[in-house]
Amino acid sequence: MSIQESLRLVSHGPIAVLEWDLIGEKVNKLSSPIMARFREILAELKTSPYKAIIFVSKKQKIFIAGADIEEIKGLSNAMECRQVLSEAHEIFNALEDLPIPTIAAIHGACLGGGCELVMACDYRLASDAKETKIGLPEIKLGVFPGFGGCLRLPRIVGLQASLDIILQGKSVDSKKALKMGWVDECVPEQLLEKRAFALAQEIVSGKKGKQFKKYVPKTKLDSFLESFVGRRIVFSKAKKSVLSATKGFYPAPLKALEVIQKTYGCTSREKSQAIEMAGFGEVAIGPISKYLIDIFYLTESVKKQTGVPSLPDLKPKTIRRMAVLGAGTMGGGIAQLAADNQIEVRMKDITNEALALGYKAASDLWQKDLQRKKLTAFDFQRKMSLISGGLDFSGFGQMDLVVEAIVEDMEVKKKVIAETVKHCSDQCIIATNTSSLSVTEMAKAHPYPKNFVGMHFFNPVNKMPLVEVIRGPQSSDEATAAVFACAKRMGKIPVVVKDGPGFLVNRLLMPYMIEAMFILEDGMDVQTVDHWFTHKFGMPMGPYRLMDEVGLDVCLKVVKIFKKSLGDRIEIPKITEKLASSGRLGKKNGRGYYSYDEKGKEMGVDHSIYKDLGLSQPTQKLTEKEVLERGVFTMINEAALVLYEDRIVEKPDAVDLGMIMGTGFPPFRGGLLRYADSLGTKYIATELDVYAARFGKRLTTSQPLANMAKNDRKFYS
Ligand code: NAI
């Protein structure tokens, strides 16, 4: 990459324009060589005859995307951090202190370090284009703005608004940025450079000069929140909400809060920057930031994949029209998501009532966006018009993809698939959303099984990011790639998996849920166990709450399917029979391990569960360590089989991505197998064998894990 050409200083008489266009890169980012070049340019400008300088990007949709993440990941000690950050501070201070006024003409994403750069400018103009986003997403990578962002943003937009942005890693569009006072003007995209030049001319003619923007409260309440007492309230509320959102597992937001609290209103730039640097160093060198960066890379790499590793350049067929069989919980959700992403979709069900529910599910979701002003009435209508429905197969001849989401019954599904194929073109792909049935078996109903795959969405479809693309033995590369690409277009993260009971995610979750039932039989209580998994380990919900969510009837059905396919390895807890006859279905009928009101709100543990399941009152005889390890190690044990024996996925990162995106496995632990590596396979295997002796042979270390444990081999090399 030519650094000289990446940052080009173009002269327009008394006005200089600095064009950012990193050669050989899709985005502009602030790597060390670029920062060094920027420093040279600033030194040149300091003594130049120019009267104003404008910063522009020559990339289509990116202004500056941020600092170089690879460099952040590489930071391994406090000294290194201090060195990188103090250089960045020196450069941005030099920018802020330039004798000539600086104008950032922002079009496209202006994020992280890029956003910190423009905050050191005098004027910020932003295009009104939808791709223009201004924000500080660092918290999502386990760090916080470290190039002065924690100091400059509060000064520009006030304390309350800046905490909202920094602690949640938010970005806003240019209209919102203008309203907050983050940018000075929001300009139509085509006029952005013209307006920047006009402003520069005003500077040249002496009408305008340098400005050091400071937040001015607009209302009495705003003024109060900036007062000594007000600030204390704002900080204390912010801390509370960080703790409730992160349960204290993520150090970066708390550290950022501490930095802002120590520096807000401080008049010494050097002192404030030293505090920011020290705080940043603490979080950047810790493992959590490294894990979050790895997860970021994993999700980014999916965007570049085709779903067929041997064919990285395969151009997948575009899915323009899709049909969904079944307009129920999943079918309705899939139809809504497809239309939300501009795919024409037709729902087919067996009753008009079911179709009406499908329409309603979609409409309800968009209504919420309408109320929150995230959607215009026009867009609402347009999206609704992309969904049609019927009881017959009309229109199926034109479909590129049919997603089957009817009842979980092999014979019914096979019959419906065979019938559907008759109404479709030979090129149409049929994908099943089954959560537990064999895709290989189901494909037998299709005369061209190469056009048949699994496309397993998670519930609720609009929220859960994962889609498992199940490649059956006869599924073609083209069908796999088309469904993989379609999932991405629908905003999801697809993971290709081989067929097998429960595929990847449910395969690992099921032994965990079964273990939770045994833990109950061993005398633990629902609330304590769920609390340990959520508040001590970091799972989004505990195993009993999760079973209620999935549906206890569904769980029991899947346990039986697992028993059938995995044989002796699956032990069925005694309580399952009583659970089946208790009439408890979980959240859907308001009775499970917990009770729920008619709106589905959880009302606490239903204490009659112990009696109903024939259990005596809980004795709490297991420790937190025993409970958490039994639950989590069971999943690790199964993952070793999934990877090295059944080869459901090829690499450990697919397991980690699947578990994080499909179950919410705590990202700060890096994923199930990164977590396993942090403990060591030897330790896990030893513990499992102790648990197997005490609690049952289902906990015996699996052969592949035992092989790894012999020399403490890790999942990630
Ligand atoms: P649901 O019971 O909510 O919906 C099924 C729909 O299919 C109903 O509207 C029913 O009228 C319709 N239907 C039945 N026979 C049909 C036919 N011959 N043609 C067209 N429509 C027909 O079920 P849900 O929960 O949406 O599940 C559907 C599929 O998705 C199942 O295979 C299930 O295993 C899978 N799945 C379910 C998840 C969940 O959490 N509910 C999660 C992931 C997958």
Side-chain angles (χ1 to χ4, degrees):
M1 169 176 73
S2 162
I3 301 294
Q4 298 290 325
E5 285 168 55
S6 293
L7 259 67
R8 289 199 316 136
L9 197 61
V10 184
S11 177
H12 293 261
I15 301 165
V17 175
L18 184 64
E19 297 178 351
W20 292 72
D21 189 4
L22 265 65
I23 308 293
E25 296 275 353
K26 274 196 181 141
V27 302
N28 290 326
K29 56 186 174 188
L30 302 177
S31 60
S32 298
I34 289 292
M35 288 292 266
R37 172 73 188 129
F38 188 41
R39 183 199 278 264
E40 282 169 15
I41 292 174
L42 291 173
E44 247 176 72
L45 286 169
K46 200 173 167 186
T47 52
S48 75
Y50 292 118
K51 297 274 187 283
I53 166 131
I54 303 171
F55 298 120
V56 297
S57 161
K58 290 286 153 187
K59 301 279 184 219
Q60 290 252 303
K61 293 181 179 173
I62 303 279
F63 183 74
I64 298 173
D68 189 335
I69 296 173
E70 199 53 42
E71 289 186 14
I72 302 178
K73 196 184 164 199
L75 296 171
S76 60
N77 61 59
M79 242 200 8
E80 242 179 348
C81 274
R82 217 176 11 255
Q83 195 179 342
V84 171
L85 293 183
S86 58
E87 270 172 33
H89 278 304
E90 276 172 29
I91 296 168
F92 286 7
N93 290 349
L95 170 64
E96 195 166 57
D97 298 342
L98 268 187
I100 53 172
T102 48
I103 303 166
I106 308 161
H107 170 67
C110 174
L111 302 171
C115 176
E116 293 177 283
L117 185 149
V118 302
M119 285 195 283
C121 293
D122 295 289
Y123 297 91
R124 285 168 290 279
L125 312 181
S127 87
D128 65 354
K130 70 172 187 328
E131 48 267 38
T132 297
K133 290 261 176 287
I134 299 166
L136 294 168
E138 288 88 340
I139 231 73
K140 294 179 181 161
L141 297 180
V143 288
F144 53 80
F147 293 176
C150 287
L151 322 172
R152 292 192 174 97
L153 185 64
R155 187 199 80 216
I156 296 171
V157 304
L159 185 60
Q160 175 107 320
S162 64
L163 290 179
D164 191 38
I165 297 284
I166 293 172
L167 300 180
Q168 294 183 56
K170 277 190 189 169
S171 54
V172 297
D173 61 22
S174 46
K175 286 196 187 89
K176 179 92 195 280
L178 177 67
K179 218 167 151 191
M180 293 166 67
W182 203 350
V183 299
D184 303 285
E185 291 179 37
C186 173
V187 185
E189 184 186 338
Q190 302 78 354
L191 301 179
L192 181 66
E193 279 199 34
K194 207 169 160 195
R195 176 63 198 125
F197 270 99
L199 178 58
Q201 285 298 353
E202 288 181 59
I203 292 167
V204 173
S205 65
K207 284 193 200 134
K208 286 210 158 122
K210 282 193 77 71
Q211 68 165 7
F212 189 70
K213 199 143 183 218
K214 269 195 170 165
Y215 170 69
V216 182
K218 290 194 190 87
T219 64
K220 275 192 182 155
L221 177 65
D222 291 343
S223 302
F224 169 71
L225 294 177
E226 290 289 317
S227 69
F228 178 72
V229 180
R231 282 183 199 185
R232 290 183 66 156
I233 296 173
V234 171
F235 280 121
S236 136
K237 273 190 78 176
K239 187 166 181 180
K240 257 192 206 145
S241 67
V242 164
L243 285 174
S244 114
T246 65
K247 300 187 200 115
F249 288 122
Y250 294 81
L254 289 173
K255 195 42 91 182
L257 197 58
E258 188 188 310
V259 166
I260 299 170
Q261 197 158 9
K262 282 186 182 159
T263 56
Y264 192 52
C266 172
T267 47
S268 160
R269 189 169 71 181
E270 278 61 40
K271 212 168 142 189
S272 304
Q273 290 180 346
I275 294 171
E276 191 192 66
M277 270 192 277
F280 185 96
E282 281 178 41
V283 292
I285 59 175
I288 293 179
S289 167
K290 311 291 177 216
Y291 285 150
L292 296 180
I293 292 175
D294 278 335
I295 296 165
F296 170 77
Y297 279 137
L298 264 182
T299 53
E300 285 299 298
S301 81
V302 170
K303 290 183 189 161
K304 295 177 200 137
Q305 292 165 15
T306 60
V308 184
S310 57
L311 298 171
D313 299 319
L314 185 70
K315 291 272 164 289
K317 164 177 149 177
T318 307
I319 306 298
R320 291 197 176 81
R321 285 185 214 91
M322 178 197 283
V324 180
L325 295 173
T329 310
M330 297 306 287
I334 296 167
Q336 187 272 341
L337 190 71
D340 204 42
N341 289 283
Q342 287 81 48
I343 300 173
E344 228 177 278
V345 58
R346 184 162 181 88
M347 297 185 294
K348 181 197 172 309
D349 208 296
I350 44 177
T351 66
N352 278 316
E353 290 71 28
L355 281 176
L357 285 176
Y359 281 120
K360 186 173 177 312
S363 159
D364 285 353
L365 284 175
W366 286 319
Q367 281 288 353
K368 276 190 198 151
D369 286 348
L370 201 60
Q371 278 158 15
R372 290 188 201 130
K373 298 208 164 88
K374 283 188 177 168
L375 199 68
T376 63
F378 175 76
D379 282 337
F380 175 82
Q381 287 305 338
R382 202 172 47 84
K383 284 180 193 273
M384 281 305 288
S385 71
L386 286 174
I387 306 183
S388 63
L391 303 180
D392 59 20
F393 287 98
S394 50
F396 273 55
Q398 280 80 50
M399 295 303 164
D400 301 306
L401 171 69
V402 177
V403 181
E404 170 283 306
I406 64 168
V407 279
E408 187 76 337
D409 181 304
M410 181 61 88
E411 290 320 306
V412 178
K413 284 195 194 272
K414 278 171 103 171
K415 217 170 116 213
V416 170
I417 289 161
E419 180 62 23
T420 305
V421 177
K422 292 183 201 157
H423 301 270
C424 298
S425 75
D426 290 355
Q427 288 79 44
C428 177
I429 298 163
I430 300 191
T432 172
N433 183 48
T434 180
S435 47
S436 59
L437 300 174
S438 161
V439 171
T440 314
E441 178 60 29
M442 220 181 287
K444 290 183 184 159
H446 198 303
Y448 323 112
K450 66 181 170 81
N451 284 348
F452 189 78
V453 288
M455 189 180 195
H456 181 214
F457 289 86
F458 290 73
N459 188 12
V461 176
N462 66 320
K463 291 214 176 109
M464 296 301 289
L466 186 72
V467 169
E468 289 176 327
V469 176
I470 301 117
R471 186 174 180 155
Q474 289 173 284
S475 310
S476 68
D477 291 338
E478 289 72 20
T480 308
V483 169
F484 191 85
C486 179
K488 283 196 276 184
R489 179 163 166 204
M490 290 166 87
K492 298 295 174 192
I493 297 171
V495 173
V496 178
V497 301
K498 231 175 66 179
D499 192 16
F503 316 122
L504 171 65
V505 169
N506 288 342
R507 168 79 180 269
L508 302 189
L509 266 188
M510 199 36 71
Y512 161 73
M513 293 192 206
I514 292 176
E515 200 52 39
M517 292 194 223
F518 280 113
I519 287 171
L520 210 61
E521 288 186 357
D522 289 341
M524 290 305 296
D525 78 303
V526 170
Q527 198 162 6
T528 306
V529 173
D530 269 358
H531 179 81
W532 283 343
F533 275 102
T534 53
H535 287 72
K536 303 293 167 139
F537 191 78
M539 296 294 258
M541 52 176 80
Y544 309 111
R545 187 68 186 71
L546 178 64
M547 283 188 255
D548 275 1
E549 202 69 30
V550 173
L552 295 179
D553 53 336
V554 177
C555 290
L556 297 181
K557 201 169 159 183
V558 180
V559 169
K560 283 186 189 147
I561 295 175
F562 268 54
K563 177 80 192 161
K564 214 167 144 191
S565 26
L566 300 176
D568 279 353
R569 289 212 15 263
I570 297 292
E571 254 178 86
I572 300 190
K574 289 193 202 81
I575 58 168
T576 50
E577 285 312 314
K578 295 224 167 73
L579 205 53
S581 58
S582 68
R584 291 170 191 267
L585 302 181
K587 190 173 170 180
K588 62 188 160 200
N589 77 343
R591 288 185 71 221
Y593 292 100
Y594 293 80
S595 326
Y596 302 85
D597 71 7
E598 56 291 345
K599 285 187 181 152
K601 186 167 176 265
E602 188 226 288
M603 307 300 285
V605 173
D606 178 353
H607 291 285
S608 63
I609 182 100
Y610 305 106
K611 191 162 166 267
D612 280 9
L613 299 184
L615 299 169
S616 44
Q617 278 307 303
T619 51
Q620 311 282 24
K621 65 179 177 202
L622 299 179
T623 64
E624 181 187 314
K625 174 178 176 288
E626 287 165 341
V627 166
L628 294 180
E629 289 192 345
R630 277 173 66 177
V632 179
F633 290 5
T634 303
M635 289 192 274
I636 297 171
N637 209 18
E638 199 66 25
L641 285 163
V642 156
L643 260 174
Y644 303 120
E645 207 167 283
D646 298 346
R647 303 201 179 274
I648 299 294
V649 285
E650 299 287 324
K651 291 187 184 153
D653 55 16
V655 173
D656 283 342
L657 194 60
M659 290 304 280
I660 292 169
M661 300 301 162
T663 72
F665 187 89
F668 72 90
R669 296 199 184 271
L672 182 69
L673 299 184
R674 288 248 183 237
Y675 174 64
D677 280 353
S678 74
L679 300 177
T681 46
K682 197 172 205 160
Y683 171 77
I684 297 167
T686 312
E687 289 295 287
L688 273 171
D689 289 337
V690 171
Y691 293 138
R694 282 176 66 195
F695 304 110
K697 68 175 177 21
R698 67 187 175 280
L699 288 158
T700 309
T701 307
S702 64
Q703 197 53 54
L705 187 62
N707 293 344
M708 294 173 80
K710 269 185 217 147
N711 43 11
D712 209 9
R713 212 173 73 228
K714 290 183 183 301
F715 284 95
Y716 288 87
S717 54

